[in-house]
Amino acid sequence: MSIRRVVSLVPSLTEAIAITEPGLLLAATDWCEHPAGLDVPRIGGTKNPDVARIVALAPDLVVANEEENRPADLAALRAAGLRVLVTEVRSLEQGFSELERVLVEGCGLARPAWLAEARDAWREVRPVVPPLRALVPVWRRPWMVLGRDTFAGDVLARLGVTNVYAGHTERYPRVPLPELTASGAGLVVLPDEPYRFSRDDGPEAFLGIPSALVSGRHLTWYGPSLARAPQVLGAALRAAVR
């Protein structure tokens, strides 16, 4: 079956498809902000897509992610007769393989040059020296951090950052602030998404521990941003521990 109309429910995959084959993307979520100037119909959020509208658009393929999208929505799309490709991305290598599965196997495209460039960039990565023990909040009110088995945690590990909660039983545990500040971390990594940490919102909770404000897109997105992620994230980490 020739794939000519794709709906993306994942910002990372939206950018990957739009950069690789701009005319293929039929619709995307409200959260799909890249590439800049993306002009396609919006079909709701990642957690609350307009299933009826997606069905009415009659795409050849819907691309989704097991973490970002709800099983009930994906089941409803399948029940309506749509083909749904669901990715699982919990490590950098899995990110690369799933991107290839979506673009090449799912969409029928040639393997894009940017994907090879991203792989090369990570093969040449230089870890931060000395190695850092860090905690990585992803939300506050309540505080939530990266735990076990996450894409962002693997990205940081390859940059020389050990997540102090990597052995937690949960992937995104809720941890009280006093426990976080007593964790023994030598660094706090604060991304600007999904919670928008900033110089005025986040570091003040961890007085005495250096904070690295990092690009959430380069930390958590798997797509064209991976090519620059080692440089962007590495610079932010090194600046925090000078």
Side-chain angles (χ1 to χ4, degrees):
M1 175 182 177
S2 176
I3 304 297
R4 297 180 180 178
R5 296 157 57 86
V6 177
V7 168
S8 173
L9 302 181
V10 186
S12 296
L13 298 179
T14 295
E15 183 180 22
I17 293 168
I19 290 291
T20 305
E21 187 63 41
L24 199 61
L25 200 62
L26 177 63
T29 76
D30 300 337
W31 297 104
C32 295
E33 300 176 346
H34 295 277
L38 180 67
D39 185 17
V40 296
R42 304 296 173 153
I43 41 75
T46 56
K47 303 295 186 187
N48 58 343
D50 187 336
V51 171
R53 188 176 182 202
I54 296 171
V55 172
L57 288 170
D60 301 318
L61 179 68
V62 177
V63 294
N65 175 262
E66 52 91 27
E67 181 176 301
E68 295 196 50
N69 307 119
R70 301 186 308 173
D73 294 323
L74 304 183
L77 292 169
R78 289 193 178 102
L82 298 184
R83 180 185 172 198
V84 181
L85 189 161
V86 183
T87 58
E88 178 186 276
V89 179
R90 301 191 179 190
S91 69
L92 181 64
E93 187 53 44
Q94 196 174 23
F96 286 132
S97 62
E98 288 288 70
L99 281 167
E100 184 158 335
R101 183 166 75 96
V102 168
L103 296 171
V104 180
E105 298 176 29
C107 297
L109 303 174
R111 186 179 295 105
W114 64 258
L115 187 54
E117 292 168 3
R119 281 187 176 275
D120 288 343
W122 281 97
R123 288 192 189 100
E124 299 170 2
V125 71
R126 292 185 304 155
V128 176
V129 178
L132 302 171
R133 281 175 49 81
L135 58 92
V136 192
V138 292
W139 203 259
R140 70 182 300 178
R141 306 182 190 96
W143 287 97
M144 298 175 67
V145 298
L146 290 185
R148 65 170 181 83
D149 194 25
T150 67
F151 173 80
D154 189 46
V155 164
L156 289 171
R158 292 167 186 264
L159 291 167
V161 176
T162 299
N163 175 13
V164 297
Y165 285 97
H168 199 280
T169 56
E170 298 178 21
R171 297 183 66 219
Y172 300 99
R174 296 185 181 189
V175 183
L177 183 59
E179 182 179 327
L180 293 178
T181 57
S183 66
L187 179 70
V188 182
V189 178
L190 296 169
D192 60 12
E193 62 176 84
Y195 185 91
R196 192 174 293 278
F197 288 108
S198 67
R199 294 191 182 280
D200 300 320
D201 187 353
E204 82 290 343
F206 302 95
L207 296 178
I209 307 176
S211 294
L213 294 164
V214 303
S215 163
R217 177 166 168 259
H218 290 93
L219 178 62
T220 64
W221 288 39
Y222 41 95
S225 58
L226 283 172
R228 293 195 64 239
Q231 175 187 352
V232 171
L233 295 173
L237 294 170
R238 291 183 176 91
V241 295
R242 282 176 182 167

